[in-house]
Amino acid sequence: MTQGPLTTEAGAPVADNQNSETAGPGGPVLVQDQALLEKLAHFNRERIPERVVHARGAGAYGTFTLTRDVSQWTRAAFLSEVGKQTETFLRFSTVAGNLGSADAARDPRGWALKFYTEEGNYDLVGNNTPVFFIRDAIKFPDFIHTQKRDPYTGSQEADNVWDFWGLSPESTHQVTWLFGDRGIPASYRHMDGFGSHTFQWNNEAGEVFWVKYHFKTDQGIKNLTADEAVRLSGVDPDSHQRDLRESIERGDFPSWTVQVQIMPAAEAAGYRFNPFDLTKVWPHADYPPIEIGKLELNRNPENVFAEVEQSIFSPAHFVPGIGPSPDKMLQGRLFAYGDAHRYRVGINADHLPVNRPHATEARTNSRDGYLYDGRHKGAKNYEPNSFGGPSQTDRPLWQPVPVTGGTGNHATPVHSEDNDFVQAGNLYRLMTEDEKVRLIDNLSGFISKVSRDDIAERAINNFRQADPDFGKRLEAAVQALRG
């Protein structure tokens, strides 16, 4: 079935798409060949700046179905009725690699989930781990610089990575996760997802609860060993993206059971760990996960660039009944994500089909800018106005959080059992002997590449403080490799 003639961007038919217009059969190309010039000019501009982090990704549309009444904790409309379904878009990614890197890398996996709710889009932007390397956003650019290419060598350098981690002991818990078996998922379908941060839920009565999100894979956890990942990266660098797409194409829709941990706001101040510290988990014995729903991915994007590369997510995209917490990493991300997309995709990125609300309409007074589509026509662009324009609701999306003390550069508050090593040690002691062997092998192989003994010793000492056996075995393995 023909689609009609090939045309220029302006719609005029193209007479010849095989030969440029020239001055005679062997002469130079003419500047009046606008089909050629337009084609080359567009080709030169086909790429936009890649994400600084989470550049390498894949995504799919799906459905979230609520299976439990949670109205006692939140007034969010999409969480208001058992059986209610909400369209979603989920983007998976690696963190440190560039756009052309391999999927099967030892790296956290990004978990960026957009709910197209009737009250606007709600974005939940987390990882496949419940914790992170640092607890304060002011350290994030420095951390990522250690993971990216060195400005002199042009390669990732073990010295940079372990120098930073060794001097940032709060990273010990996440590093233990990363170099364990779950550091290289076999596919995006075979890993869990987490909101990672602590968020606020508030109900109709104005009561506040702190919440953590868990997405437990229904396909089961599957991981790759370091050797398997190296081979797969060479044979099929697109392995995870391909697996996700093909599973949906054959109707094998991946799904996750959605759980939350709920903490009444009054319990936060006295809890044994700082509940807003991103390097810590809430032990399940303290706050057992509660199953609330099912997430299923069931539709592939039609165009990867338009719907995956140009998709934008921001943890600042809340809906009524959900809001932020005092988590210092989250607070920094509330600004950084939106700012990254304004630079990378443009000020009207929210107008693109994958990003705009699907179950409601965005009504703002923002106008113009790069790629503005004129959707507002002649409507007034100020508020208040007497022409029937949109107006404020006088009801905030979330409840205020009490604060005390003077302004200043404060360290994160420490609770009774807080330190940088206790949960890393707990994670190590939960591992089987085989898991411990692989963890030591993975860590020692990387630490052994460090050029300075003091950097290696400082790195090992963090794991020694997490668990004496952990440190002893890692030290011996590194020494054996370094000779």
Side-chain angles (χ1 to χ4, degrees):
M1 177 179 174
T2 181
Q3 295 181 337
L6 179 70
T7 74
T8 65
E9 297 288 350
V14 174
D16 189 337
N17 194 47
Q18 316 305 315
N19 305 289
S20 301
E21 188 175 351
T22 60
V29 173
L30 300 179
V31 74
Q32 72 183 35
D33 189 346
Q34 287 303 297
L36 168 67
L37 299 187
E38 178 184 86
K39 191 174 183 180
L40 293 179
H42 190 284
F43 180 76
N44 286 342
R45 293 161 176 80
E46 282 186 356
R47 298 295 176 263
I48 60 177
E50 69 173 40
R51 291 166 167 88
V52 177
V53 288
H54 299 278
R56 174 71 178 178
Y61 295 92
T63 304
F64 169 75
T65 304
L66 188 70
T67 59
R68 178 183 176 129
D69 182 3
V70 296
S71 59
Q72 62 181 304
W73 300 302
T74 178
R75 59 187 174 93
F78 80 102
L79 299 174
S80 63
E81 182 182 347
V82 172
K84 190 166 190 174
Q85 294 190 329
T86 302
E87 183 188 4
T88 62
F89 183 77
L90 176 56
R91 184 179 186 270
F92 304 98
S93 58
T94 52
V95 176
N98 58 28
L99 192 59
S101 59
D103 288 341
R106 185 174 298 280
D107 204 4
R109 300 303 191 268
W111 177 277
L113 179 60
K114 187 182 298 292
F115 297 86
Y116 299 101
T117 91
E118 64 266 50
E119 296 178 300
N121 290 349
Y122 171 45
D123 289 353
L124 184 63
V125 186
N127 283 318
N128 72 324
T129 60
V131 293
F132 196 61
F133 299 92
I134 52 177
R135 64 172 65 97
D136 194 314
I138 201 168
K139 296 183 71 170
F140 187 77
D142 300 288
F143 163 59
I144 293 300
H145 287 166
T146 73
Q147 306 297 303
K148 292 287 190 176
R149 299 180 186 274
D150 181 86
Y152 174 68
T153 68
S155 302
Q156 187 191 61
E157 295 297 329
D159 279 8
N160 301 352
V161 173
W162 288 109
D163 190 35
F164 180 87
W165 283 345
L167 293 168
S168 305
E170 71 270 26
S171 68
T172 307
H173 189 191
Q174 171 73 321
V175 174
T176 304
W177 269 89
L178 179 59
F179 284 84
D181 284 355
R182 298 196 185 192
I184 315 179
S187 80
Y188 292 132
R189 297 181 296 126
H190 293 96
M191 68 180 194
D192 292 340
F194 300 88
S196 301
H197 297 284
T198 300
F199 298 92
Q200 184 197 108
W201 275 8
N202 59 90
N203 62 18
E204 287 290 351
E207 297 172 304
V208 171
F209 303 87
W210 302 119
V211 60
K212 283 184 176 289
Y213 296 92
H214 303 251
F215 298 80
K216 311 300 288 185
T217 176
D218 295 327
Q219 290 69 238
I221 295 288
K222 291 184 181 179
N223 305 301
L224 299 173
T225 66
D227 288 343
E228 289 171 338
V230 168
R231 288 194 295 271
L232 183 60
S233 294
V235 172
D236 184 8
D238 301 327
S239 57
H240 290 34
Q241 176 175 305
R242 187 187 316 282
D243 174 85
L244 178 66
R245 184 186 70 249
E246 291 180 352
S247 70
I248 294 174
E249 285 176 345
R250 66 176 179 264
D252 182 13
F253 300 142
S255 65
W256 288 261
T257 298
V258 186
Q259 302 172 340
V260 292
Q261 289 178 283
I262 301 286
M263 176 188 292
E267 298 179 14
Y271 185 51
R272 57 198 179 105
F273 301 113
N274 181 345
F276 310 116
D277 182 349
L278 185 55
T279 70
K280 303 285 196 307
V281 298
W282 298 354
H284 292 185
D286 295 348
Y287 296 97
I290 301 166
E291 183 176 328
I292 67 164
K294 186 73 72 174
L295 174 68
E296 178 187 85
L297 299 182
N298 48 38
R299 181 165 64 92
N300 283 317
E302 294 294 327
N303 184 285
V304 172
F305 179 81
E307 297 166 87
V308 179
E309 184 64 15
Q310 291 193 131
S311 63
I312 66 171
F313 301 85
S314 171
H317 290 168
F318 293 111
V319 293
I322 304 178
S325 78
D327 177 338
K328 294 176 78 173
M329 270 298 295
L330 173 60
Q331 291 285 318
R333 294 175 83 202
L334 297 179
F335 160 76
Y337 272 60
D339 187 59
H341 300 314
R342 284 187 286 272
Y343 160 72
R344 192 179 66 86
V345 186
I347 196 62
N348 286 305
D350 285 300
H351 293 189
L352 296 172
V354 69
N355 299 322
R356 66 189 180 215
H358 289 190
T360 186
E361 178 187 358
R363 294 179 292 275
T364 77
N365 289 318
S366 298
R367 298 289 191 274
D368 306 339
Y370 185 60
L371 293 182
Y372 176 59
D373 60 7
R375 66 181 52 196
H376 302 93
K377 299 182 179 178
K380 305 297 183 184
N381 62 340
Y382 59 89
E383 194 277 334
N385 73 54
S386 60
F387 293 87
S391 59
Q392 66 190 41
T393 66
D394 295 320
R395 189 178 188 187
L397 306 188
W398 57 84
Q399 292 296 105
V401 177
V403 295
T404 59
T407 59
N409 297 95
H410 300 291
T412 301
V414 177
H415 290 222
S416 61
E417 295 185 29
D418 271 340
N419 71 52
D420 291 327
F421 308 108
V422 61
Q423 292 198 355
N426 291 340
L427 178 58
Y428 176 77
R429 289 183 288 274
L430 283 173
M431 294 181 180
T432 66
E433 179 58 27
D434 287 346
E435 289 172 333
K436 290 178 181 177
V437 168
R438 290 189 291 270
L439 172 65
I440 297 299
D441 285 347
N442 295 333
L443 284 168
S444 62
F446 195 10
I447 296 176
S448 67
K449 298 177 182 178
V450 169
S451 65
R452 283 170 37 189
D453 290 342
D454 62 315
I455 294 177
E457 172 52 32
R458 190 164 51 236
I460 293 168
N461 190 53
N462 284 343
F463 299 106
R464 185 183 293 118
Q465 293 187 70
D467 184 277
D469 178 71
F470 193 177
K472 179 180 178 180
R473 294 169 67 167
L474 182 56
E475 181 179 25
V478 172
Q479 287 178 348
L481 290 170
R482 287 170 70 87

